[in-house]
Amino acid sequence: MNKWILVLWPSFLMAGIAEIIFFTVVDPQTLYFFGQPVNFSAMATYTIGFFALWLVCIASSLATLFFERSREQINGHS
C-alpha cells in the first residue's frame, strides 16, 4: 500500500500542476484530435486532460520505483 501512495500522490499533484499550465496556454474549445475538432464541453476536456496527464505521471512514478530497486532485489536475492 505504501508503494501505491508513493506513486499516486506525487503523480496526482504533478498532473494537477501540468493541467493548470497546459490549459492556461491552450483553450479547450480549440483542440483537435486526429485532425477533428474536439466537441466536448470545456469541463469534459479538462477532466479527460487531467486523467490523461495523471496516467503519464503515474507511469513516470512507476518507472522511478522500478529503477530505484537494489541489485539484490533485481537479482532475486534476499
Side-chain angles (χ1 to χ4, degrees), residues 2 4 7 9 14 16 20 22 24 28 39 41-42 44 53 61 75 77:
N2 190 26
W4 284 109
V7 169
W9 181 241
M14 291 311 298
I20 290 169
F22 181 79
T24 298
N39 292 322
S41 69
L53 288 167
S61 293
N75 293 328
H77 304 300

Side-chain angles (χ1 to χ4, degrees), residues 2 8 13-14 20 28 30 32 34 40 52 55 65 67 75 77:
N2 190 26
L8 294 176
L13 292 176
M14 291 311 298
I20 290 169
T30 62
Y32 282 81
F34 290 115
F40 298 127
L55 287 175
L65 279 180
F67 288 120
N75 293 328
H77 304 300

